[in-house]
Amino acid sequence: MSARIIDGKAVAARCRAELKARTEELKGEGITPGLAVILVGEDPASQVYVRNKHKACDELGIHSEQYTLPGNTSREELLSLIAELNGREEIDGILVQLPLPGHLDQKEILSAIDPAKDVDAFHPQNVGRIVIGDYFFAPCTPSGILTLIDSTGVDMTGKECVIIGRSNIVGKPMALLALHRNATVTVCHSKTRNLPEVTRRADILISAVGKAGFVTGEMVKPGAVVIDVGMNRNAAGKLCGDVDFESVSPAPVPGGVGPMTITMLLRSTVLSARNRRKKA
Ligand code: GUN
């Protein structure tokens, strides 16, 4: 089956070059965008994500602070750090890397972040704003996916957009963003019946399942835009997405959605700095 391969790395590099210019402009006005990233515990995948975020900030000239807290950090300690970061003028974005250790209440922690610094858009107030289409921040992975789709020149209006996965981080916000782009949206999940029948309708198919080789060629309409959000390890320990690359050829992982997620985080941080500090 022939499908177009989206070069996520190239799209991300173009966006980052634009952001670097905007960052330099802000710096010329005495404003250095600042991001604080909090990692609780030692999840190896999270450690890699956080390191990549920090490195990307460095490359753009964004100030970044990393807080690595032990896995047994108490609710009070974490809330107190968030309160301190909420109060610091030079911090424009606060990100708490998920997943959190089980003893911490994710909803409570995310709700403690100042909505004006919530670059992940996970605070309930920002989630609600996305639902009604009046939002400033949007979650990074779905925003990155929209940018990748835009890079293909495909107009989403009236298109069948099928999303596999209903997480709060990817599937649900992706559905809302696609709806705001006037796509006809279907969200599939583990209880969906006749999944291949549904996915074959898709002009745009987005897979965020977390299972290597889950999406195969017979689930995909010829010519569809396929976006693979999965980050899995196969039996040989190699990093791979949800989509069976041999039979489908979507945006390859790594190099597809991952770099876009980080790029959107940088964009939100720069936008936040402009919004918060150029008001006066
Ligand atoms: N863990 C996996 N994806 C994300 C993300 O986009 N943001 C945060 N904070 N944690 C994550």
Side-chain angles (χ1 to χ4, degrees):
M1 206 215 78
S2 73
R4 204 161 3 149
I5 296 179
I6 305 172
D7 187 348
K9 273 189 186 157
V11 180
R14 278 202 301 278
C15 294
R16 288 187 198 191
E18 271 172 42
L19 283 171
K20 191 167 185 175
R22 279 204 247 172
T23 305
E24 275 161 16
E25 223 175 86
L26 278 173
K27 282 180 152 179
E29 299 171 49
I31 299 167
T32 300
L35 174 70
V37 177
I38 304 172
L39 173 62
V40 187
E42 284 162 14
D43 178 65
S46 292
Q47 284 174 332
V48 173
Y49 294 147
V50 167
R51 210 170 27 241
N52 288 343
K53 286 168 186 174
H54 190 61
K55 196 166 145 245
C57 283
D58 268 358
E59 283 164 9
L60 253 67
I62 293 174
H63 169 73
S64 75
E65 297 180 3
Q66 186 180 324
Y67 295 86
T68 308
L69 308 180
N72 63 358
T73 297
S74 70
R75 151 188 188 276
E76 289 75 14
E77 285 168 315
L78 182 52
L79 289 173
S80 143
L81 173 59
I82 292 171
E84 181 204 323
L85 294 167
N86 281 343
R88 281 179 51 199
E89 175 63 12
E90 74 280 20
I91 294 296
D92 301 290
I94 302 170
L95 180 147
V96 176
Q97 186 67 31
L98 302 178
L100 282 169
H103 68 282
L104 294 166
D105 177 353
Q106 183 178 301
K107 265 190 295 189
E108 180 187 32
I109 300 302
L110 295 177
S111 300
I113 296 171
D114 177 351
K117 298 187 177 189
D118 175 33
V119 281
D120 257 329
F122 292 163
H123 188 289
Q125 189 175 309
N126 287 326
V127 175
R129 288 186 60 176
I130 293 163
V131 174
I132 61 171
D134 170 32
Y135 54 93
F136 185 76
F137 294 124
C140 301
T141 299
S143 303
I145 292 169
L146 276 193
T147 309
L148 284 179
I149 295 169
D150 288 342
S151 79
T152 67
V154 167
D155 177 3
M156 296 180 77
T157 300
K159 296 284 190 324
E160 293 276 350
C161 177
V162 176
I163 299 158
I164 318 175
R166 55 174 157 179
S167 71
N168 290 337
I169 295 182
V170 184
K172 281 186 219 165
M174 187 69 244
L176 289 162
L177 297 189
L179 204 52
H180 295 319
R181 291 289 195 91
N182 299 312
T184 300
V185 180
T186 306
V187 182
C188 302
H189 46 78
S190 55
K191 305 286 187 291
T192 297
R193 281 176 292 163
N194 302 325
L195 181 68
E197 210 173 275
V198 182
T199 58
R200 272 197 300 270
R201 289 206 306 259
D203 301 304
I204 299 160
L205 179 61
I206 299 166
S207 181
V209 177
K211 285 188 189 154
F214 186 82
V215 176
T216 52
E218 69 271 12
M219 294 169 72
V220 181
K221 180 163 84 173
V225 172
V226 183
I227 305 278
D228 188 351
V229 190
M231 268 286 188
N232 318 301
R233 295 220 178 254
N234 66 12
K238 186 172 172 275
L239 210 53
C240 58
D242 291 344
V243 178
D244 176 32
F245 191 72
E246 293 293 310
S247 59
V248 183
S249 292
V253 170
V257 174
M260 286 310 298
T261 295
I262 297 183
T263 305
M264 295 299 110
L265 171 67
L266 303 171
R267 187 176 73 172
S268 291
T269 305
V270 172
L271 284 175
S272 177
R274 230 181 15 197
N275 182 53
R276 293 180 56 255
R277 293 198 257 164
K278 280 185 69 157
K279 270 183 181 159

